[in-house]
Amino acid sequence: MRVTISSACLLLMAATELQASECAPLFEPSYDGDDTYLFGGGTTDGLAQAAQSLLAVNANTVKSNAVVKYTSATSAAENLPPEDNFDWIDGCNHSLSLSLTAPLDTSDEVTELANLDGLADAYTLTVSYSRYVDRVRRNPNPAPGTLLENWSYFWGGEARIGRENFKFIEADSISETEEDETPWSVAVFGGHELGRWTVTYRAKFEQQYKPQNDVVRCPSSAVEVEFIDCISGANGGPNDVDSRQVSIEMRRVIERFTFIGPIGIAPAIHHDLEQHVTGVDVPVFLWQSDKGQLTGGVRFGWRDDTNDSQFGVFVSQPF
């Protein structure tokens, strides 16, 4: 949620109090001056849109999950200085998000395959914070189309806690039981612009639960019968697994791509340092919302422990 007002008093306060690489208070109105330049020449509204896109490093790219999300975000920036001034000016957007995720179809394994997410099949509560800083100045040696130059970086953190139900066969019996577990994770991330690419680095610690292998168990019978009723399921309760993961993701929007318009690509490599598993995730954004934001497409995934690859269709938050 972002509020923009034009009160002269608030504009003056925001312009005088904003310092390099600092954001306005999170729950105060955004500052949007008439001559504000950000992200290569946009306004604070453009800054917010860029930040929301670049910071969506944990986008919901699973068609089988339902997500409810609330975000409070604030943008602020300095005005572009006079023409003979080549100093850098700063703009900042930061946001605090709260989201609830519910799995609708736990049989879809493309997310776990691609990004090693151990909470993909759990009901989760996520709290995340992100900050995006954009620096712009007049180009001292401008070429055609390069009157302004800019560079940007971003960072943030995320905490998740989940609830997941497991059904399994009790030891030494043919009775099925179930139990609830509470997986959780904490992560930090940061990134920057590299040419036309946006690069994101992430480190995550996760406590996840994995079901045991399925078995078929039948009761022994001393009486000769034609049929025996058997039961199948996980052979005991879930295993508690610690996971330490690192990942790198690169994003780019190709503005002109044949007849379908712009597309986005976001290849990522994820590695689990505890389980020694590597996953590769390659979303290709093809569809746009009515606001022109890339929100869905096709996805390729592969992991080296199973040497298996998958292909799927996804819908996500804006790219």
Side-chain angles (χ1 to χ4, degrees):
M1 178 179 66
R2 187 178 69 257
V3 181
T4 304
I5 63 176
S6 58
S7 167
C9 181
L10 286 177
L11 291 179
L12 179 61
M13 290 175 59
T16 56
E17 292 180 2
L18 183 67
Q19 299 178 8
S21 302
E22 292 188 359
C23 286
L26 186 61
F27 295 101
E28 287 194 4
S30 295
Y31 165 59
D32 191 359
D34 293 336
D35 299 320
T36 300
Y37 284 81
L38 291 164
F39 200 60
T43 63
T44 54
D45 182 64
L47 172 69
Q49 291 181 4
Q52 291 168 11
S53 173
L54 296 177
L55 296 175
V57 295
N58 200 30
N60 173 36
T61 54
V62 191
K63 63 182 179 181
S64 57
N65 279 7
V67 180
V68 177
K69 187 174 184 178
Y70 170 81
T71 300
S72 176
T74 301
S75 299
E78 300 174 36
N79 288 327
L80 196 67
E83 292 187 4
D84 58 347
N85 188 322
F86 303 105
D87 293 339
W88 290 98
I89 64 171
D90 294 286
C92 179
N93 173 280
H94 63 158
S95 65
L96 182 67
S97 297
L98 180 69
S99 63
L100 294 171
T101 303
L104 302 179
D105 180 9
T106 58
S107 65
D108 189 348
E109 298 178 350
V110 66
T111 298
E112 185 176 358
L113 171 74
N115 58 27
L116 312 184
D117 183 8
L119 278 72
D121 293 333
Y123 293 86
T124 58
L125 170 65
T126 303
V127 179
S128 61
Y129 173 81
S130 59
R131 176 173 292 207
Y132 173 82
V133 177
D134 185 43
R135 308 203 76 194
V136 182
R137 71 170 181 176
R138 297 183 185 276
N139 195 334
N141 301 297
T146 62
L147 296 179
L148 298 176
E149 60 179 342
N150 80 296
W151 62 273
S152 59
Y153 64 92
F154 52 91
W155 57 269
E158 175 187 272
R160 301 168 69 197
I161 187 168
R163 194 72 170 173
E164 192 169 3
N165 180 266
F166 293 88
K167 295 182 179 180
F168 56 91
I169 302 175
E170 293 180 330
D172 303 322
S173 76
I174 58 169
S175 299
E176 186 178 59
T177 187
E178 61 182 82
E179 65 181 46
D180 291 327
E181 300 292 353
T182 307
W184 58 271
S185 70
V186 291
V188 293
F189 62 85
H192 58 88
E193 302 293 326
L194 183 63
R196 297 184 179 182
W197 293 87
T198 300
V199 185
T200 302
Y201 312 93
R202 171 178 288 255
K204 179 171 67 171
F205 180 83
E206 185 173 85
Q207 185 179 61
Q208 54 187 246
Y209 293 85
K210 294 186 177 181
Q212 298 198 43
N213 294 331
D214 285 353
V215 296
V216 176
R217 191 172 294 170
C218 302
S220 60
S221 176
V223 181
E224 220 176 280
V225 293
E226 188 173 354
F227 298 103
I228 296 177
D229 291 329
C230 300
I231 187 173
S232 64
N235 187 24
N239 294 318
D240 183 350
V241 179
D242 289 338
S243 174
R244 291 185 297 124
Q245 300 179 19
V246 292
S247 65
I248 181 171
E249 178 196 77
M250 300 185 68
R251 291 189 169 202
R252 180 180 175 182
V253 175
I254 303 175
E255 295 293 343
R256 296 181 180 180
F257 190 83
T258 66
F259 62 91
I260 65 175
I263 69 168
I265 54 177
I269 299 177
H270 306 266
H271 182 70
D272 191 324
L273 301 173
E274 292 279 355
Q275 307 302 315
H276 306 290
V277 177
T278 299
V280 178
D281 181 24
V282 185
V284 180
F285 294 75
L286 301 174
W287 307 314
Q288 302 180 53
S289 67
D290 54 2
K291 296 182 180 180
Q293 297 170 312
L294 294 168
T295 57
V298 295
R299 184 177 186 178
F300 306 89
W302 174 84
R303 56 188 294 165
D304 65 348
D305 57 339
T306 60
N307 198 29
D308 190 19
S309 59
Q310 288 192 9
F311 170 83
V313 177
F314 70 87
V315 176
S316 79
Q317 57 191 7
F319 178 83

